[in-house]
Amino acid sequence: MMTTKIRTNRLNLSFPSQQTKRMFAASGQAKSKAQKKFRALNDISIEIRNGERVGILGANGAGKSTFLRVLAGVYAPTSGQLEINGSVTSLFDMNVGLDKEATGYENIPLLMAARGIPRSRAPKLIEDVVEFADLGDAMDRPIRTYSSGMQLRIAFAVATARSADILLMDELIGVGDKNFRMKSKVRTQRLLSESGTLLLASHSSAYLKTYCTRGLIFENGRILADGPIDEMIEQHENTK
């Protein structure tokens, strides 16, 4: 029997609308409990089992990225139930945890802590991150002296340093110059193949067909359809 890795039951997520935020900012009034809210996710009920490779489709603003960020713990649901069984690795918001005043070396354990990687695994993973990021003497300098590409190298190296039980991806990513992009592509593909359960949000039908077997179509914060990836891609493309 396959283990359930992710289960949601009537999950909802709401944010204060931008109109409401502007109104209160202009008036200086305290926020009201009755303020108008934007429903980003609406009544999401889904079960994803161990080993499933799930592609998430939908137009911009449909709720794909927001759903992944709820699963990653970036957003807490407003209501409903969320159950996750296993460790989660996400390949987005990778710079969370960076300290611009700390050195590259000092930032590695900070990024690991932000991603919930146990300290016991730090020594082995730090060696891997330093080798993969390949920043040389720059590792001894404060992060604030790095280019955005150099910062992303360290963040990406940490995010992909361990195999994922549940892997969340918002589009496939390339990092840095041509040579490093090739390295990151190989590392990402290894992570994809080793992950127990995959959720990949993408606008690329080719990527979804390559890596996924099941598809979810999101529309206006709801799951519109759920089925085999080829059928979901065809349905989504026919509604564009």
Side-chain angles (χ1 to χ4, degrees), residues 15-232:
F15 298 117
S17 69
Q18 291 301 314
Q19 181 180 1
T20 302
K21 286 182 178 180
R22 288 193 295 268
M23 179 183 70
F24 282 107
S27 66
Q29 299 177 34
K31 291 184 178 180
S32 165
K33 290 184 179 179
Q35 65 179 280
K36 186 176 180 180
K37 292 186 176 183
F38 165 69
R39 179 76 58 97
L41 295 176
N42 198 339
D43 203 28
I44 303 294
S45 295
I46 193 76
E47 183 174 345
I48 297 171
R49 296 183 176 274
N50 184 40
E52 287 199 283
R53 328 292 282 178
V54 183
I56 303 178
L57 303 87
N60 290 332
K64 305 184 303 297
S65 298
T66 303
F67 179 60
L68 289 179
R69 280 164 173 76
V70 168
L71 299 183
V74 177
Y75 302 136
T78 306
S79 62
Q81 297 176 329
L82 170 62
E83 176 188 340
I84 295 181
N85 299 306
S87 60
V88 175
T89 295
S90 59
L91 294 193
F92 46 79
D93 301 335
M94 290 186 291
N95 283 346
V96 172
L98 274 178
D99 182 342
K100 296 297 180 71
E101 297 303 318
T103 67
Y105 281 114
E106 292 167 341
N107 265 285
I108 295 174
L110 295 177
L111 288 167
M112 288 182 175
R115 291 188 161 269
I117 299 175
R119 288 191 177 209
S120 60
R121 301 194 61 186
K124 182 178 180 180
L125 293 183
I126 287 174
E127 183 180 340
D128 173 78
V129 169
V130 171
E131 180 180 353
F132 185 81
D134 194 22
L135 292 173
D137 293 341
M139 291 295 294
D140 291 310
R141 302 202 314 260
I143 285 286
R144 59 179 165 76
T145 67
Y146 288 19
S147 67
S148 58
M150 292 168 69
Q151 292 180 29
L152 194 55
R153 279 192 179 205
I154 290 183
F156 176 83
V158 171
T160 56
R162 64 171 180 170
S163 299
D165 188 19
I166 301 170
L167 178 62
L168 310 177
M169 295 185 67
D170 195 352
E171 296 290 357
L172 296 182
I173 54 178
V175 180
D177 58 27
K178 182 178 179 181
N179 290 334
F180 195 80
R181 282 200 303 272
M182 288 301 298
K183 285 176 60 177
S184 65
K185 181 178 180 181
V186 171
R187 193 167 168 101
T188 300
Q189 288 176 336
R190 173 188 61 78
L191 196 64
L192 283 164
S193 65
E194 293 178 354
S195 63
T197 301
L198 169 68
L199 283 86
L200 169 63
S202 180
H203 291 285
S204 169
S205 297
Y207 284 148
L208 292 171
K209 287 181 179 180
T210 298
Y211 296 110
C212 304
T213 55
R214 176 183 175 186
L216 305 175
I217 301 177
F218 273 71
E219 182 177 85
N220 297 325
R222 294 178 178 271
I223 294 178
L224 181 66
D226 177 359
I229 190 64
D230 289 341
E231 294 179 15
M232 295 299 96

